[in-house]
Amino acid sequence: MDFSLTEDQRMMQESLSRTLAEAASLDRVRKFAGDPTDRGADVWAALTDFGLPGIVISEEYGGLGLTLLDAALMSEALGRAVAPVPFMGTVLAPLALRLAGSAEQQSKWLPKLASGEVTAAVAISEAVAGARDGAGVTASGGKLSGKALFVPGGLGADLLIVADTGGALHLVEGGAAGLTREIMTGIDLTRRMAELTFDKVAAEPLTGGKDVLARLRDAGWVLLAADTLGACDVMIEKAVAYAKERKQFGRVIGSFQAVKHLCAEMAAELEPCRSLVWYAGYAFDAAPDESSLVAAHAKAHLSEVSRFIARTSTEVHGGMGITDLLGLHFWFKRVGLNRQLLGGPERVRALAAQMQGLTA
Amino acid sequence: MDFSLTEDQRMMQESLSRTLAEAASLDRVRKFAGDPTDRGADVWAALTDFGLPGIVISEEYGGLGLTLLDAALMSEALGRAVAPVPFMGTVLAPLALRLAGSAEQQSKWLPKLASGEVTAAVAISEAVAGARDGAGVTASGGKLSGKALFVPGGLGADLLIVADTGGALHLVEGGAAGLTREIMTGIDLTRRMAELTFDKVAAEPLTGGKDVLARLRDAGWVLLAADTLGACDVMIEKAVAYAKERKQFGRVIGSFQAVKHLCAEMAAELEPCRSLVWYAGYAFDAAPDESSLVAAHAKAHLSEVSRFIARTSTEVHGGMGITDLLGLHFWFKRVGLNRQLLGGPERVRALAAQMQGLTA
Amino acid sequence: MDLRLTPDMESFRDEVRGFLVAHQDRYAPGAGADRPREAAMEWQALLIDNGYAARTIPQAYGGYGAQPDILKSRIIAEEFTAAGAPRGFANQGISMLVPTLLEVGSEEQKTRWISPTLRGETVWCQGYSEPGAGSDLANLQTKAVEDGEDFLISGQKIWTSTAAQADMIFCLVRTEPQAPKHDGISYILFPMTTPGIEVRPLKTMTGSAEFNEVFFTDVRVPQSAVVGGRGRGWFVANATLKHERGMLGDPNATEARFAALIDLMKSETVDGQRLIDNPVMADRLMALQARLMTMKFNGLRTLTASMTGESAGMAGMVVKLQGCELNHQIAALAIDALGELGVLYEDGPHLRAKGSWQRNYMFDLGLIIGGGTAQIQKNIISERGLGLPREPKLAVV
Amino acid sequence: MDLRLTPDMESFRDEVRGFLVAHQDRYAPGAGADRPREAAMEWQALLIDNGYAARTIPQAYGGYGAQPDILKSRIIAEEFTAAGAPRGFANQGISMLVPTLLEVGSEEQKTRWISPTLRGETVWCQGYSEPGAGSDLANLQTKAVEDGEDFLISGQKIWTSTAAQADMIFCLVRTEPQAPKHDGISYILFPMTTPGIEVRPLKTMTGSAEFNEVFFTDVRVPQSAVVGGRGRGWFVANATLKHERGMLGDPNATEARFAALIDLMKSETVDGQRLIDNPVMADRLMALQARLMTMKFNGLRTLTASMTGESAGMAGMVVKLQGCELNHQIAALAIDALGELGVLYEDGPHLRAKGSWQRNYMFDLGLIIGGGTAQIQKNIISERGLGLPREPKLAVV
């Protein structure tokens, strides 16, 4: 019985954080956020050197062959750094290929994904979070038509994994005829999303139906929860540091009980979440029976906790908290996007009740 | 445009509070709470002298002919005093007779109700809050059968107004054959409830259907909200007084920012509620179109605010807050019962959405 | 309790309606905090002439000169909102400087500044907060050193909206460095064109620069520009802050936002189901509606108190804390109900309400927490409202 | 991260299961804080003999004498819970006094008290809190005045559970009135039968007297009954309080309550609809399930830290604040879901779970707020966990 990270895991996470401190400093993030033409190629290159693209791809295809827990730890580090990296597709596309790809599809794509030579994005929002604004993709005769919204990293991806309205998955090449992409810009400027329009676009089917989609969804939920965890850690650290330094009425504000208690409440809410995220990552590979439920709870609970922490950290910072200068808003908005991607907490909780058979 | 109480209203409310201070002191309440055979006859007698039984009964029948707002102000004073008085029936039964009684029924009952000679209770829980535990009363050939639960003041009432499962109202005399009553004891020992069992009990129909029931429900909601308002006022006053007096670490605890902010949060939550309750009382007579919605919101919102205040006042009191000695729990439990009577806040909010046509 | 209006008031309402219908073609919104354009200045002049703006300011200073009548003010507000007509200007010069000048300004100051301020000819910004003096405003460090008839002002202000557009600033500076903290401050007026002033935009999380930092280096200002007496600035400013507090928590605006939220939840769908048909979302919506009503009726109650000259007491103190929070929560529900659509922020076919739900969500949070507002408001409620003791003095370490 | 058990541990689990099956007929629950009956004392003795109670207490003092092994302790806890078997006694004597004696007691004190305490022969109560010394425990006033070889103890204690049943009390008294606040306190043991002790039950909001007030008037106690050195009581008691904190926040109990809540919501109906089919209630249920999981996994994490001798740090500090709150919220949802049925409290055909939802709702609130617990816990988290400064010293006025 060992409920802790291995030394290797800790080191790898720290190592990624160091890489990001250099390759994706706040100044670099700021520049990315301010320039829609900036594709963050240098950041991606540094992460490719690190091996991140191959994190869950098996060694036979040139990846690191690690688990979703490891990927979640990377996601946490990315969240800490508010890194401008479309990580979801990096993990979910290889998973989709592993679970539902043919041998041919696997050997065609996995080595290139592992090397970072091509990037992938996953378009499953409508199937998981529900269709809005007329979106939805239908498959007919090997061709896809319709729209898929909110695809993180979908603007430049060479490979797209697309769920149709029946929950079946399809593989689409980035250069396919009839595919157009538009940028969708949200509050979080560190991760751009795409709207994909399909006009009879050629697609290869992936085997497996809703069960594979559910696995992708679960993995996505865990990654988002982990990203939020990392971002929340930083928001608390920043609030505590500011409270120790900022003076008002002749004392540091961190000596006022009201401010102390706000900080304590943030820590008390967040700290237990770490274990939930770890377990959600662990269960994905080691306890698949529990995986969907714990992933759902990790996603929904971290969404709620992060809203409280984003607000409270801002409050501790006073007026400075809302300035662009300090940059706290990058984390604020990061968790704001994570909250809604792949379903807001209310929807995810409703799914959690259904998957236990508590409700219909 | 005058959004305030009249001088008469203020004086009458203060006068009732003085009467209660004498007739229903905390010692007297404690005795009532501890002795299920105590019917509080002395308290009722004092209130009869005051004129309370006739508050909404027209002068022609010997009442005071006042409005629901006046009744709500009385309810607030009763809540302040955690008075052992079944006030709901005192207001709702005359209303039922006014709205749906025949001239004969009115002249038979209203004078006796106004004089306090007979008391009434209203059994509408199932029709308003939903049927639980197999309860529900059906009418057939002028006879009622079934069970009605949670009837405040129903144990000793001489007159019962009963809603059947179709929402129609019936008048039942307390001594009718086939009627049995059992005490239902809840957390709030200041107001006992009854379970009524009907075995082919003779009943007189009242005219009017669901519309009259809705009026009774709205009036009940307003009275409960007002009772809660009064109880909350006391819980805040007690917390503030205790915070000014209790010393720890060499200072009164009310000088600690955390305690001050708890008190401020209570006051900030409660104070605006006063206007909501006033308006809900006023609208019942003066703006019937708005009445149901504002009554619903008053009931639901005061329920939520009072849970926060009950907890927070207890917290400010520390360990003393949970002792029987101090007696804060009488108010804590008073609002706990008010929260659930005639529907908990979730149910009432769902009804509020329906009555605006927002949901089906 | 009687919410009916007297026949007098009903006929006043008719009068306002008549005016609004008659002048529909002249509607021209002021630019909020920015410099008004000419059409807006003309509309403002028309409003003043008819008593719908600057209503209680004496005619001698360019106002309409009516007696205060809160009910009439409310009727004006309601009818303008109902007609969608632009209200009179509500910038900081009008809402903060003018009342201050009326209270403690010299005759010359009143004559010189009030009328052009009311008419939008002179635009003001406010120089109160400093990086080291936010909630602890009395700690301000911007210093004004005597130099002959003048002061030389040096220091830094922050959270100054409109600084880039303003002609003038009303500003707190420390003129008596030796005096106790609260006694060494003066309230002073000077042109933003004075040499030595630098304005730097301060961008916030909404992505816009709603505020500025303003730097002063030996800015020369005549001592005669002090308002309300040298060293009295702290007390002058506190009177002004009271006026600012009155500005916030307008239930009409909150009602409009709530109505927009209902429309949104009735018209938007997910998987074909209306958002409002999600019971969890509908429950939150109803909880907010209760708060909205609470705030609205509390507003009527404080209005009645003002009309009768009573203090609104606690009912008045809690408005800011509750009002900003409600606005924030309305925006939060809109975002949550919209789901992934709710995070969009830049123009595109899927953006709703021009991103205003997210903008309000962030901006209102700024109002709640800016400068420790919520914390300070709770101190005020507990001390002035509930009579709890002030924070005890600390030992000198 | 590997939640599998080693074969050793799996066989230990089998051993525990075997024991529990073999001795099913001897199950006899201890009476919580009350005096145990004979069958319970026999069951306790059997548990000690087999290492399922008093596991790590040295054999010399009547324990089983095993090395600490947190995983084995957990397996024992899990299997006893699964079998519905009564655990070993968990009264204040065992959980607070025994560890204290082991740490700082004299050899004679250990020999005399530990064994009968473990076996339920000697029942203890705790005399810490006073009316004027709750969260500020160091302010205690109960005084012990030297009189020859003895102390004469006078004063008042409060929140003393089991005082009416206890044989003995472990008590904090002020022996050095001139010493600084924290240095004048001694930790002392004496029989509750000593003349001069009066016990008055203290009824709480649940309607039961879970606590007592205890009054001392010239209670004569030999000085030799002090534990850990005269004037050292503050430090001795703080060590004991650490043990108490470990007692709270048992995820097993919370899980059982949550399971009961699910059963309730699946079986109860309103207007024929199952409570769980109310989406607003189901949403709250799921939010609590997430918190339950969070607490459970946080427990595994702190368990792992203990096993490897690391400090659990923040993960350990937050357990109490979060755990009590979760229990309270589970009870609150049960009450709300039950609606009017949820307010019933006395026996009758409609009462659910013997009124335990309401009782827990109130009792857990007491745990959260008793003696300002939540406030103090937040101080601890912010100071020890986050390194924020302590409350500054006040000026002497």
Side-chain angles (χ1 to χ4, degrees), chain C residues 153-155 192-198 214-220:
Chain C
I153 297 173
S154 295
M192 287 296 284
T193 51
T194 319
I197 302 180
E198 188 197 348
V214 182
F215 296 83
F216 304 121
T217 313
D218 289 335
V219 177
R220 182 171 295 276

Side-chain angles (χ1 to χ4, degrees), chain D residues 266-279:
Chain D
K266 283 165 77 174
S267 57
E268 295 282 339
T269 61
V270 54
D271 284 341
Q273 184 198 43
R274 298 186 313 160
L275 301 185
I276 202 157
D277 291 328
N278 177 325

Side-chain angles (χ1 to χ4, degrees), chain A residues 28-95:
Chain A
R28 180 69 189 89
V29 170
R30 223 180 250 288
K31 190 176 157 295
F32 181 92
D35 177 4
T37 67
D38 184 343
R39 294 295 167 98
D42 51 328
V43 181
W44 185 247
L47 296 177
T48 299
D49 287 347
F50 183 87
L52 198 70
I55 181 105
V56 297
I57 297 173
S58 69
E59 287 166 296
E60 92 183 86
Y61 296 115
L64 298 176
L66 296 174
T67 68
L68 190 71
L69 173 57
D70 300 290
L73 296 172
M74 299 302 102
S75 195
E76 186 186 340
L78 293 168
R80 284 192 68 89
V82 288
V85 177
F87 189 54
M88 187 110 74
T90 305
V91 177
L92 266 56
L95 270 181

Side-chain angles (χ1 to χ4, degrees), chain B residues 14 64 118 152 175 190 201 232 247 253 289 298 304-305 313 349 360:
Chain B
E14 278 162 28
L64 299 176
V118 309
T190 66
V201 174
C232 285
K247 281 192 177 179
I253 60 169
D289 287 354
E304 303 291 21
V305 167
S313 175
R349 281 195 293 268

